[in-house]
Amino acid sequence: MTGSAEREKGTPGRLAELLIDASTEAIDAAGGHSGGVYLRSNTPGLLRLAVLAGLPGPLFRPWGRLHADSKFPVADAYRLGVHVVLPNATECMRRYPQFAASLPFQFGSLYVPVISGSTTYGVLTVLRPSAPDATEVLSGLDRMTRLAEELGAALRELEDEDKDEDGLHVAWDGEAVCVQATATYRPEGRMARFVWDPVTAAVTGDGALHALLGVEPATALDSAQAIADVVAPGDTYQVMAALRATAAGKPPPLPLRVRAADGSIRLLDLWTPATGPVPPGGGPPVSGVVVDPGAASTYDSAADLLPDGVFCLDRMGLVTYANPRAAQLLGRDRQELLGRPLWEGVPWLNQIGCEDQLRGALLSLEPVHFHVRRPDDPEQRQEPYEGDWLAMAVHPGRDGLTCTVAPSNRVTGPPLPLLPAHTDGNGAAAGVTSLAPLYRPIVLAIALTEAVTARQVSAVVMKELLPAFGGRRLAIYLLQDRHLYLAWENGFPQGFLTPFDGVGLDTRLPGVETLTSGRPLFFDSMQQLAEAYPGIPLDAEEGARAFLPLIASGRPVGSCILGFDRSRSFSTEERAVLTALAGLIAHAMEKAQRYDSEAALARGLQQALLPRRLSAHPQVETAGRYLPGTQGMEVGGDWYDVVEAGDGLALVIGDVQGHGVQAAATMGQLRSAVRAFALGDRPPDEVMSGTNHLLIDLDPGQFASCCYLRLDPASGLVRVARAGHPPPLIRTPDGRTRVWDIPGGVVLGVDPHAQYPVAELQLEPDSILALYTDGLVERPGVDIDDGIAALRVALAKAAGPAARTGGRSLAGVADRLTTAARHAADRPDDIALLLAARRTKPGRHP
């Protein structure tokens, strides 16, 4: 982090400067064209884009905040602490379809977590040109990793210097700071930087400052007033006011357009991304950039003579050049274009279609061509006015975009939709993203395909829909027996929604009437809501509300309420999109209700088929446990049993592939078959072979793993055969625990000629046998052998010293081995566990 050591320690502005330095250096290191840093925020689970380098912030606001558990590469890098490398769009679509759907362009990206010790602060990210595979980006990834490590150490030092008792000190809760990435070519005198300290009044500038301002190198520019006098002699007060407002944390709309002494346009950009309170006696240091976009070169003068329009943008979207023909065709005065963001200089281009084209060019560095229709309002154009359509092309480079514009009488592709991109209820720029109309149906639909329960659907809506429209509150009601019951709520005051839970369809409430009428209801303010429904309880004094009907295939499902903290209006496009998204949510909820019903049926069937009591023997103690999965239909496939087999006991455990009612039914058939074979005291290999043939004859389209043991309590002889099932564990009386690594055959239901070899073991008194299904030892991203080893250690601890004398009940051991699984919020698979111990004294048989 070059230069960070000289900066004043403990100031809030230092955090941003560290992040800016890391971002720009990472872009150079990885051969990228843009990048930034995501940082944790004081909102639990929320990541905020703190710095964006080389891209215009307004076009990328939709990615300004992400949940740490979302299906995005930034979230995975932060949550898992791993590098994420996406060399191209194909790999991105394969691994992160939601992210690929929201940015469907050809580019690569790298994500490196910023960690110090046990603390993960955020993620350093770089966007770069597409590569055929990851090998091309590995050298850059190594350099990024070192930068992330340095940044993590610097953030740890910053955090240690200035702890914030009210929240995280190294955190980000505001909008992203947008800065230029390091340019590969920067003409002398066109851009200069400076830093002003409002406490000491000192100003420091880079070597280009005097040249750009046209003053002698010996001239002292050691105060804000001196800078203002030469930057904009006629606008000194405006510059000083902007500096003071920025230092106070209330920056004016930037960049600031001011005029130099010769009348030319200059651009002044200021920032001080303070993350804490303003220090006593003055604000934090203010960083500034002065840009002279109007200094025409010989090449610019030549472009002035071209018959077609040509204009140039830097990577922040600012117009740095426009020839007279471009100004004429765009309907704007040339001086009104220079130094402004394109969407401000040409307001009628402020539409989602144009935004999308610019995003594609900025990210992929590939040319884009499109047609756009000019507005009919004569005030938005200058004469002469040739035709309704313009053919536009954008040719990107590492440092900016060159755009051409020409009249077009023939449209070769679909026209761009003329939809407003960034407006709020007052017509001003807003934080509501233009991606909501264009991409949110795609992103939300992809996310909803992975949600199978009503709770999961609601969580997806909370994470994907609400942030897109700037909402803060969500409530989802589902219809049952002509009443609406609350299925999910977030952001409302505690207990506020309780009186509305279970209301009938004859109640006059907006959440009810939106469903019964099938029409969405939008209220720009709480006053509007109170006027439409006199006497209705209000959860806030101000804000907007949207009530959406959840209707799937003509059938009412429920209603959805979106809450906003501030008053706002809903455009026609937003109303249409929200209504369409409500249909997606309704279909997902209907599917979730079917899953919930089937899951309940499967659980009931599973419980009915599992043994109510295990066969007993005076010299054998047994204990069994079953835990259904908690994600969707993850129930129904696992079983265990203890069966009398001649003068011994048969111990069996199995796992049917798949879940749901079909898996539970197949499990019941296999359990009955194994019991029949065991009661006939058939050898283990014959039990496996017979069950295998039965499953093949039934042809349910499923296979199963199984482990079958026959234990002779008197002699301790154990004979076992297994079919694709995890091996048993054995704990001896001296406390040692090991895996019984025995040979086995393929899973049941695949090969009619499969062989199942039998292994033998002499089981000592007070030894414990543990049979289990893979749900107990498998974890995403973890080798199953590691899971088995962990279970082996847990068995050794759970049995305890008392096991040596047979004093500890196996029921307690079984409970200890399944404690973590019982308390897990999400179990991706069901779990079965069967323990058996040969006792020298009569045992217990739970």
Side-chain angles (χ1 to χ4, degrees):
M1 255 57 71
T2 59
S4 61
E6 292 80 30
R7 299 185 182 112
E8 183 182 351
K9 293 184 179 181
T11 60
R14 185 184 171 201
L15 172 60
E17 294 191 17
L18 289 171
L19 302 181
I20 291 169
D21 285 349
S23 300
T24 54
E25 291 181 30
I27 292 170
D28 290 340
H33 48 64
S34 52
V37 179
Y38 279 85
L39 214 60
R40 63 185 183 177
S41 73
N42 280 298
T43 301
L46 184 66
L47 303 177
R48 297 293 298 259
L49 181 61
V51 168
L52 179 62
L55 291 173
L59 296 189
F60 292 87
R61 191 175 289 116
W63 297 271
R65 60 176 69 190
L66 292 172
H67 284 268
D69 56 353
S70 63
K71 304 280 185 170
F72 273 63
V74 169
D76 275 2
Y78 177 84
R79 187 180 66 258
L80 303 176
V82 298
H83 298 167
V84 177
V85 178
L86 304 175
N88 49 53
T90 301
E91 181 69 6
C92 184
M93 177 59 77
R94 185 182 70 82
R95 296 175 58 185
Y96 298 97
Q98 292 182 49
F99 180 53
S102 65
L103 285 174
F105 310 116
Q106 291 293 330
F107 68 97
S109 52
L110 300 89
Y111 307 85
V112 178
V114 178
I115 302 173
S116 179
S118 61
T119 302
T120 302
Y121 292 103
V123 177
L124 182 62
T125 178
V126 168
L127 310 183
R128 50 159 291 129
S130 182
D133 53 53
T135 57
E136 186 175 319
V137 303
L138 291 182
S139 60
L141 181 65
D142 291 339
R143 295 177 62 190
M144 271 187 70
T145 302
R146 290 194 293 272
L147 287 169
E149 292 172 352
E150 294 175 14
L151 178 59
L155 296 182
R156 168 64 69 184
E157 179 184 351
L158 188 64
E159 189 171 49
D160 291 341
E161 291 172 357
D162 189 6
K163 293 287 187 181
D164 186 348
E165 296 180 357
D166 296 328
L168 301 172
H169 176 64
V170 177
W172 200 271
D173 295 299
E175 294 297 321
V177 174
C178 299
V179 297
Q180 290 277 8
T182 304
T184 55
Y185 170 70
R186 182 174 295 164
E188 181 67 22
R190 297 288 295 275
M191 177 183 293
R193 297 175 182 268
F194 68 89
V195 176
W196 170 59
D197 190 332
V199 178
T200 64
V203 174
T204 56
D206 64 12
L209 188 62
H210 285 78
L212 183 142
L213 298 180
V215 297
E216 294 296 327
T219 303
L221 299 176
D222 54 1
S223 69
Q225 187 66 53
I227 292 285
D229 287 341
V230 293
V231 169
D235 296 315
T236 300
Y237 175 79
Q238 186 180 7
V239 173
M240 291 300 298
L243 284 168
R244 294 189 184 100
T246 304
K250 301 176 181 179
L254 295 172
L256 202 64
R257 298 176 77 251
V258 294
R259 291 193 179 274
D262 60 1
S264 63
I265 295 294
R266 280 182 179 153
L267 213 65
L268 180 62
D269 201 358
L270 305 169
W271 71 89
T272 175
T275 58
V278 175
V286 176
S287 297
V289 172
V290 183
V291 180
D292 181 3
S297 66
T298 302
Y299 304 105
D300 295 339
S301 300
D304 285 351
L305 304 177
L306 293 176
D308 287 341
V310 177
F311 62 95
C312 300
L313 310 175
D314 68 8
R315 288 194 62 86
M316 307 304 289
L318 300 179
V319 179
T320 58
Y321 167 77
N323 72 355
R325 182 59 167 157
Q328 182 186 54
L329 292 172
L330 295 175
R332 304 294 290 177
D333 183 87
R334 191 177 183 185
Q335 290 302 313
E336 291 298 315
L337 289 173
L338 295 177
R340 288 185 181 275
L342 178 62
W343 40 90
E344 291 182 9
V346 189
W348 59 268
L349 285 178
N350 186 21
Q351 51 186 275
I352 61 172
C354 288
E355 281 194 348
D356 201 33
Q357 301 293 338
L358 290 175
R359 268 190 292 266
L362 286 165
L363 293 179
S364 68
L365 300 186
E366 294 292 332
V368 296
H369 303 266
F370 57 96
H371 286 80
V372 63
R373 187 172 186 174
R374 293 184 288 193
D376 295 330
D377 184 359
E379 294 183 1
Q380 294 291 326
R381 63 177 189 260
Q382 294 177 342
E383 299 298 340
Y385 189 68
E386 307 172 30
D388 292 332
W389 293 92
L390 294 176
M392 301 189 71
V394 181
H395 301 271
R398 279 182 57 92
D399 301 329
L401 308 174
T402 299
C403 310
T404 62
V405 55
S408 178
N409 296 320
R410 183 170 61 91
V411 180
T412 57
L416 299 181
L418 289 173
L419 298 179
H422 303 288
T423 57
D424 61 13
N426 301 316
V432 179
T433 171
S434 62
L435 279 201
L438 188 61
Y439 289 129
R440 283 300 162 179
I442 302 173
V443 176
L444 186 63
I446 293 173
L448 286 175
T449 60
E450 301 178 0
V452 295
T453 68
R455 183 177 182 83
Q456 290 170 347
V457 171
S458 301
V460 167
V461 175
M462 183 68 201
K463 294 173 185 176
E464 299 294 342
L465 178 62
L466 226 56
F469 290 88
R472 300 281 185 175
R473 301 177 182 184
L474 171 70
I476 294 180
Y477 287 84
L478 297 180
L479 180 65
Q480 182 179 352
D481 298 329
R482 295 188 59 78
H483 288 75
L484 285 174
Y485 293 94
L486 185 63
W488 177 276
E489 67 169 304
N490 190 85
F492 287 92
Q494 185 175 6
F496 173 77
L497 295 177
T498 302
F500 305 105
D501 192 14
V503 296
L505 294 185
D506 56 350
T507 309
R508 190 174 185 273
L509 290 170
V512 174
E513 293 189 356
T514 190
L515 180 62
T516 56
S517 67
R519 293 183 296 103
L521 302 175
F522 298 94
F523 300 95
D524 297 350
S525 65
M526 299 303 283
Q527 181 180 355
Q528 274 191 9
L529 177 59
E531 291 173 354
Y533 293 88
I536 187 174
L538 302 177
D539 60 297
E541 293 183 359
E542 61 177 279
R545 295 291 181 268
F547 296 84
L548 308 175
L550 301 183
I551 300 175
S553 303
R555 294 184 297 274
V557 176
S559 59
C560 175
I561 304 172
L562 304 181
F564 304 83
D565 289 344
R566 291 179 291 183
S567 298
R568 55 157 296 169
S569 63
F570 298 88
S571 67
T572 303
E573 292 76 22
E574 286 180 318
R575 293 175 183 234
V577 171
L578 285 170
T579 303
L581 295 180
L584 289 177
I585 298 167
H587 280 282
M589 277 295 184
E590 186 181 49
K591 181 186 72 173
Q593 288 178 315
R594 290 198 301 268
Y595 269 104
D596 289 341
S597 298
E598 187 177 347
L601 176 61
R603 287 191 180 94
L605 182 59
Q606 175 84 8
Q607 293 298 330
L609 293 174
L610 286 172
R612 293 184 178 276
R613 59 179 300 276
L614 302 178
S615 296
H617 190 283
Q619 291 180 269
V620 179
E621 181 184 358
T622 58
R625 296 291 182 268
Y626 173 78
L627 300 175
T630 59
Q631 297 180 358
M633 289 301 301
E634 308 301 323
V635 62
D638 292 12
W639 91 95
Y640 62 87
D641 207 351
V642 178
V643 187
E644 296 180 11
D647 54 358
L649 285 181
L651 310 175
V652 60
I653 195 164
D655 182 0
V656 176
Q657 171 265 335
H659 304 92
V661 175
Q662 179 62 47
T666 302
M667 178 272 287
Q669 292 172 309
L670 293 184
R671 176 174 176 261
S672 298
V674 172
R675 285 187 66 88
F677 287 129
L679 289 171
D681 202 14
R682 305 276 290 276
D685 55 336
E686 292 186 19
V687 174
M688 288 290 95
S689 295
T691 308
N692 179 48
H693 284 103
L694 173 65
L695 185 56
I696 292 174
D697 291 341
L698 290 173
D699 192 22
Q702 295 171 306
F703 58 84
S705 68
C706 187
C707 186
Y708 180 92
L709 293 87
R710 187 193 184 281
L711 168 64
D712 184 345
S715 65
L717 177 65
V718 179
R719 305 184 72 233
V720 59
R722 66 187 182 109
H725 202 82
L729 300 180
I730 299 175
R731 188 189 190 281
T732 55
D734 59 6
R736 291 180 298 173
T737 307
R738 63 185 176 89
V739 177
W740 188 5
D741 192 9
I742 55 178
V746 299
V747 292
L748 305 174
V750 174
D751 180 7
H753 305 293
Q755 299 294 317
Y756 299 96
V758 177
E760 294 185 355
L761 172 76
Q762 198 70 34
L763 191 67
E764 300 178 59
D766 292 327
S767 292
I768 298 175
L769 275 170
L771 306 181
Y772 52 93
T773 57
D774 56 9
L776 188 60
V777 293
E778 275 191 329
R779 296 291 181 273
V782 179
D783 191 283
I784 190 172
D785 291 337
D786 294 336
I788 294 174
L791 179 63
R792 180 179 62 80
V793 173
L795 176 61
K797 294 179 179 179
R804 298 177 183 175
T805 61
R808 173 167 289 175
S809 167
L810 280 192
V813 177
D815 288 338
R816 288 177 176 83
L817 293 180
T818 55
T819 295
R822 282 200 310 272
H823 291 90
D826 291 309
R827 288 192 298 273
D829 199 359
D830 45 352
I831 293 171
L833 172 70
L834 178 61
L835 302 179
R838 179 177 172 232
R839 301 302 192 189
T840 54
K841 298 179 180 179
R844 294 175 290 275
H845 311 283

